[in-house]
Amino acid sequence: MTKTIDFRSDTVTKPSEPMRRAMATAEVGDDVFGDDPSVNRLESASAERLGKEAAVFVPSGTMANLLAVMTHTRAGDEVLMGDECHIFNYEVAGSARVAGVQVHALHNHADGTLGTAEVEAAIRAPNIHAPRNPLLCLENTHNRCGGAAVPIAAMDEMTGLAHRHGLAVHLDGARLFNAQVALGAPAARIARDCDSVSFCFSKGLGCPVGSVLCGSKEFVAEARRNRKMLGGGMRQAGILAAAGLYALEHNVDRLAEDHVNARLLAQGLSKTGAFAPIEPHSNIVVADIVRGEVDVWLRRLAEHGVLAVAFGPQRLRMVTHLDVSAADVEEAVSRIERIAGVVAA
Ligand code: TLP
C-alpha cells in the first residue's frame, strides 16, 4: 500500500510513544483552582523561555490570539495587523465578533514585514470621531508569507514604533521556535519587546493540543479571567501540559531537520517545472502553480498519497514536520515528478 505523506500542516503530527508516556504519568490537579502541578510547571517554563513574567495555557493558538486581542483592548477599539496574518485570515473574525474590535489590515510585504511609514500613518491621532489604537499584532514565523522568519531588526523597528505611539504589541508566535532556529536567535530575544506573545505546542513541537500566551503578571491574570469567560478553563489539563513539557525538552532543536526537509521539498517542486516555490526559511513551503489548477493538483497529489492544502487559487502549501523524514520528502518529490510528467510514469 502507498504510504501517505501528509504535508497539510505541522498540526497533523501524532504524539510519540515517549510523549504519550509523559502524558499518561503526568501529575494532575484542577487547573481552574490553580492546582495542576504540570500546568503550573509548563506555564512557568514557557514564561521563562520567552523572558516574560507569566504565561497561561490555552487549548489553541486561535484562543491565545483572541485572548491577547481581548485583553489589550476594549470593544470599539481598532487593532492594526498585516493583511496576510493568521488573525485576519483564519480566526473566523473572532476579534470582531467576540472582542468587538475593528481590524485595520495593512499590507504585508512578501517577507512577512510591515511598512514603517504605513503603520505610522495608520495610527490615529486622538479625536472624538476616531477609534483608539491600543494594539499592533505581528506574526513570526509568518505562515502565509511562506514561513518567513521575520528578522530581529524588523521586530525591533515595529515594537519601537508602536511603543513610541503608546500601542502595545502582540506577537502571534505560533511557530516562534521555528523562527528561533531559522534566525539563530533565542525566542526570548525575538519577542523581547513584545508585550504579549503566544506560541503553539500543537504544531512543529509535536503535541496533540495546546498553546500558551505569555506577558506581564498583570496581563496574564486578566487573560486568565478572559480564558474562563471563553470556556477555556480546563481541569486536569496536566495530561496535555506534560506533552508540552516533553516537547520543550526534546522537540525544539530538531526543528532544524524540518527546515532542511522544507528546502529539499522546495527544490524538488521547482525541478518539476510545474511549481514556483518561495524559498523556505523554515518548515513551510508555499508554491505558486505554474502549470495546472490547484484543485486538480491537490486531487492528483492525494491520489498518489501526498497531501497538501490550497493557499490561494494558484498556490499550495506543504509543511514539513516530525512525522515526515528526509526519505519521505524524497519519495514525495519522486511521486510529484511522475505526476508532473517530468519522469515517465
Ligand atoms: N494555522 C493552521 C491553519 O489555521 C492555517 C495551519 O495549519 O497552519 N497562528 C498561526 C500563525 C497559525 O498558523 C495558526 C494555525 C494559528 C495561529 C492558530 O492555531 P490553532 O490551530 O491552534 O488555533
Side-chain angles (χ1 to χ4, degrees):
M1 212 183 80
T2 314
K3 179 184 177 186
T4 300
I5 306 168
D6 193 345
F7 295 112
R8 286 173 302 167
S9 182
D10 46 9
T11 59
V12 303
T13 53
K14 295 187 181 144
S16 63
E17 276 312 317
M19 181 180 278
R20 284 171 193 254
R21 275 199 298 280
M23 296 173 74
T25 55
E27 257 191 285
V28 296
D30 188 327
D31 181 48
V32 174
F33 287 109
D35 281 353
D36 191 301
S38 302
V39 171
N40 294 341
R41 268 205 297 282
L42 183 69
E43 291 179 345
S44 11
S46 303
E48 198 183 315
R49 284 246 182 178
L50 273 287
K52 304 294 175 205
E53 284 174 4
V56 57
F57 186 48
V58 294
S60 66
T62 300
M63 190 184 282
N65 286 334
L66 177 56
L67 285 177
V69 171
M70 286 180 82
T71 307
H72 284 296
T73 64
R74 289 189 306 206
D77 288 345
E78 180 180 68
V79 178
L80 307 182
M81 61 184 75
D83 60 1
E84 294 291 351
C85 79
H86 196 275
I87 300 178
F88 184 57
N89 289 286
Y90 296 123
E91 298 187 7
V92 208
S95 295
R97 170 98 195 233
V98 185
V101 299
Q102 163 169 298
V103 168
H104 184 174
L106 304 165
H107 174 63
N108 254 132
H109 300 154
D111 63 359
T113 61
L114 298 169
T116 309
E118 206 186 337
V119 173
E120 193 146 30
I123 301 170
R124 298 173 191 267
N127 181 297
I128 195 170
H129 303 92
R132 295 185 310 141
N133 288 127
L135 181 64
L136 169 69
C137 295
L138 304 175
E139 186 175 312
N140 202 0
T141 59
H142 201 294
N143 187 350
R144 277 185 64 83
C145 294
V150 178
I152 288 177
M155 297 293 303
D156 289 354
E157 165 112 10
M158 282 298 128
T159 50
L161 171 64
H163 291 160
R164 274 198 304 285
H165 289 273
L167 280 74
V169 176
H170 169 65
L171 174 61
D172 175 357
R175 297 184 179 84
L176 184 60
F177 289 105
N178 294 89
Q180 166 172 302
V181 167
L183 296 172
R189 172 62 188 93
I190 301 168
R192 186 186 69 188
D193 299 328
C194 298
D195 301 274
S196 59
V197 51
S198 52
F199 72 87
C200 296
F201 293 103
S202 54
K203 303 199 165 63
L205 300 186
C207 298
V209 187
S211 295
V212 280
L213 175 63
C214 310
S216 69
K217 272 195 192 129
E218 215 180 20
F219 170 84
V220 168
E222 194 56 25
R224 204 178 282 286
R225 279 181 62 77
N226 287 332
R227 180 188 69 169
K228 192 76 189 74
M229 178 168 60
L230 296 182
M234 298 181 284
R235 302 295 177 172
Q236 285 72 34
I239 300 267
L240 304 174
L245 285 164
Y246 178 90
L248 284 179
E249 205 177 316
H250 297 97
N251 291 349
V252 173
D253 293 339
R254 67 146 306 284
L255 291 169
E257 285 172 43
D258 300 341
H259 297 190
V260 171
N261 287 341
R263 287 198 291 274
L264 254 177
L265 181 59
Q267 282 156 12
L269 286 173
S270 58
K271 263 204 325 217
T272 64
F275 299 96
I278 300 172
E279 196 185 327
H281 287 190
S282 63
N283 67 330
I284 295 180
V285 179
V286 169
D288 284 321
I289 300 169
V290 190
R291 281 197 279 125
E293 301 298 319
V294 71
D295 290 344
V296 176
W297 262 108
L298 291 177
R299 201 182 61 240
R300 290 173 74 194
L301 287 169
E303 283 163 7
H304 290 76
V306 177
L307 304 184
V309 295
F311 238 38
Q314 279 300 112
R315 260 193 169 189
L316 53 74
R317 185 191 73 165
M318 299 172 90
V319 185
T320 55
H321 51 76
L322 239 159
D323 292 355
V324 291
S325 63
D328 292 333
V329 171
E330 280 168 21
E331 169 61 24
V333 167
S334 76
R335 291 184 203 170
I336 298 166
E337 282 175 342
R338 276 204 298 278
I339 303 170
V342 170
V343 171

